[in-house]
Amino acid sequence: MGVLMSRRQTVERVQKVSLAVSAFKDGLREQPSTRRRAEAGTARQGTLEQEVQEGEEEASAGPSQPEESSASKAAWERLRDGRGVEPEEFDRANRFTPPAFIRPKRELHDDEPLDISLEQREQILNDEMCEICEVWTAESLFPCRICPRVYHDGCLRRMGYLQKDSAVEVTETAHTETGWSCYYCDNLNLLLTEEEMYSLMETLKNCKIIPGACLTLDDFLHYKHQVHKQQFERTMPEAQEEQAALQFNALDPDKKGHIEWQDFLSHESIQLLQKIRPQNALLRLLTPKERERARAAFLALDQDNDGFIGEGECRQARHTWFRKHQKEMQSCNVSISHVGPISEGSPASSRNSKSPEKILPATKQEETSIDWPGFLRENVAYILAARPNSAALHLQPLA
């Protein structure tokens, strides 16, 4: 999708620079002495003519010979266009061309309150045809657990979105309660508008973050310290540093000692959404499937059916939202990652006292009660952060 966008933007840049070069050359012809002085002046690494030539080569013949600067520039362009990181060794011969992706835009009414009914259930319908090839083949289609799109595994492979390590995951989880997120929903960065993406890119550039690179704990903490100092002009408190370290551990569930670039990018994207957009705007990002899972979770917690749950129960739901794998779902109290109502045999249908993460909620008279709208507002960021297929927790819930 971003390929078409970047090439079009390159052509537009070439056209604008070509006009500037033409005017520049005309001025030099009229002032030869000025031209001689310019040629005898300080050396410059590139000229306008070279920029035009490079742009024309990018627009017509694709990327030029690999260089460190051009590779870095291409990485930032992929990030801007929402394409993430494409391995250099990835062979796109005989592949489908990704469709052009256009980042969302904020609407005037986005910040207004949104009424999401608890009693009125929503009908969940998946698309009938593959999102890529637009062909219907019934049972061989893999549905997304977030949006209504469905896909063929072969089409996903030809698009380059289904590699060897993820093929098994898709086939095993797409038709289960765990579910699978398509490549649109799996990338939280695609929720950002162009303005928000520009803000994030400026922050990453100022902090010397290289797109596609993995981050160690020292890298992650150094980045967090820089961001905090740029925003507040003071050193980050020790308590926040400890919280950042906990977030790093949440992003590194396999204890590899580093976090993957895509997980770091998703974490920063959801963090930015929390800072910039009000909760009403975030609620509009929820899909019908996510709203249905939220209803099932709230109703499972509201056992006396009075429309309120305890604050402790709300916090517990926040932690269990990320249980996307069956082996993890067995140890949680509330399963809200699957599509559809909670079954009688699921962990949410009964309060299993043997659960290792069991938190006995206090009575509603002893703690603050939360209604359905408040439950949504408190959990919306965590619901969105649970979209990626990765086992990483992209937004570590506070204790």
Side-chain angles (χ1 to χ4, degrees):
M1 60 185 71
V3 173
L4 299 181
M5 295 291 293
S6 60
R7 288 187 177 179
R8 184 175 68 250
Q9 293 170 351
T10 302
V11 172
E12 292 176 353
R13 180 175 67 109
V14 169
Q15 292 174 346
K16 293 180 180 179
V17 176
S18 298
L19 294 176
V21 171
S22 300
F24 183 72
K25 288 181 177 180
D26 292 340
L28 292 179
R29 294 191 186 98
E30 295 176 359
Q31 299 178 1
S33 59
T34 304
R35 181 177 180 179
R36 286 192 298 270
R37 286 194 301 268
E39 292 175 348
T42 58
R44 298 173 60 183
Q45 295 182 349
T47 63
L48 290 175
E49 291 89 338
Q50 291 174 341
E51 184 177 359
V52 172
Q53 183 178 1
E54 293 176 357
E56 290 174 347
E57 291 175 356
E58 292 176 2
S60 59
S64 58
Q65 295 297 325
E67 297 178 358
E68 184 177 357
S69 59
S70 61
S72 176
K73 180 180 179 181
W76 285 112
E77 288 181 351
R78 286 195 297 267
L79 181 59
R80 178 198 62 205
D81 295 339
R83 287 181 290 152
V85 176
E86 298 173 359
E88 294 181 0
E89 66 274 11
F90 183 71
D91 181 15
R92 285 202 170 273
N94 300 321
R95 304 278 183 176
F96 288 148
T97 301
F101 175 78
I102 301 177
R103 288 191 174 275
K105 295 182 178 181
R106 294 289 307 278
E107 302 293 340
L108 295 177
H109 65 279
D110 282 354
D111 298 346
E112 298 177 0
L114 182 64
D115 183 21
I116 301 177
S117 173
L118 175 62
E119 295 78 16
Q120 185 177 357
R121 308 297 292 269
E122 299 182 62
Q123 186 177 12
I124 304 299
L125 294 176
N126 288 324
D127 294 341
E128 296 182 352
M129 296 186 296
C130 173
E131 174 72 13
I132 299 174
C133 68
E134 299 183 350
V135 174
W136 178 81
T137 51
E139 296 180 355
S140 63
L141 290 170
F142 294 97
C144 174
R145 68 184 178 94
I146 305 298
C147 69
R149 300 182 183 95
V150 293
Y151 301 85
H152 293 120
D153 59 340
C155 293
L156 290 171
R157 287 189 178 90
R158 293 191 64 185
M159 287 282 286
Y161 293 119
L162 193 62
Q163 305 297 327
K164 294 181 180 180
D165 55 348
S166 59
V168 176
E169 179 184 1
V170 173
T171 56
E172 290 183 351
T173 62
H175 292 288
T176 66
E177 288 185 346
T178 302
W180 162 80
S181 296
C182 69
Y183 58 88
Y184 283 108
C185 302
D186 181 64
N187 188 357
L188 296 179
N189 185 254
L190 300 185
L191 296 175
L192 302 183
T193 63
E194 290 186 2
E195 294 78 10
E196 293 166 345
M197 188 62 230
Y198 177 80
S199 173
L200 178 58
M201 289 176 61
E202 286 298 304
T203 300
L204 297 177
K205 288 181 178 180
N206 292 338
C207 295
K208 310 300 182 183
I209 297 296
I210 302 174
C214 298
L215 279 76
T216 64
L217 176 59
D218 291 339
D219 297 332
F220 187 75
L221 293 179
H222 180 68
Y223 167 78
K224 289 295 184 181
H225 274 283
Q226 285 185 299
V227 172
H228 187 276
K229 191 170 184 179
Q230 290 177 7
Q231 184 175 1
F232 301 103
E233 297 183 352
R234 63 175 183 270
T235 304
M236 186 171 66
E238 184 177 351
Q240 286 187 252
E241 182 178 354
E242 293 178 355
Q243 187 62 37
L246 291 175
Q247 178 62 71
F248 177 88
N249 293 332
L251 291 170
D252 181 25
D254 298 329
K255 308 305 177 185
K256 295 179 294 186
H258 66 268
I259 55 179
E260 303 294 335
W261 163 253
Q262 193 60 41
D263 289 327
F264 171 74
L265 182 61
S266 291
H267 165 69
E268 288 302 307
S269 299
I270 196 67
Q271 286 273 66
L272 182 61
L273 286 175
Q274 275 192 302
K275 293 177 183 178
I276 293 182
R277 300 195 197 182
Q279 289 174 321
N280 289 329
L282 294 180
L283 285 173
R284 296 183 184 276
L285 299 177
L286 297 180
T287 66
K289 290 183 179 181
E290 289 174 315
R291 293 194 293 265
E292 275 300 291
R293 287 195 294 272
R295 288 187 183 93
F298 185 86
L299 293 173
L301 293 169
D302 183 23
Q303 293 191 339
D304 53 7
N305 297 322
D306 65 348
F308 292 89
I309 64 173
E311 186 177 3
E313 294 172 311
C314 182
R315 288 196 301 269
Q316 182 65 13
R318 208 172 300 163
H319 283 267
T320 57
W321 215 281
F322 297 92
R323 306 296 183 178
K324 295 186 284 291
H325 302 284
Q326 295 290 353
K327 62 181 180 180
E328 295 175 338
M329 289 169 60
Q330 295 175 0
S331 64
C332 66
N333 296 316
V334 182
S335 172
I336 48 185
S337 62
H338 66 274
V339 178
I342 297 179
S343 62
E344 295 182 358
S346 68
S349 61
S350 62
R351 303 294 182 88
N352 185 1
S353 60
K354 296 182 181 180
S355 174
E357 296 184 10
K358 178 67 180 176
I359 298 179
L360 294 176
T363 61
K364 294 182 181 179
Q365 290 76 16
E366 296 176 356
E367 64 177 353
T368 304
S369 296
I370 298 178
D371 58 3
W372 165 243
F375 175 80
L376 278 181
R377 289 193 299 269
E378 291 293 327
N379 286 280
V380 60
Y382 299 97
I383 298 174
L384 295 172
R387 285 185 177 186
N389 295 306
S390 170
L393 273 66
H394 299 96
L395 190 62
Q396 171 70 18
L398 300 176

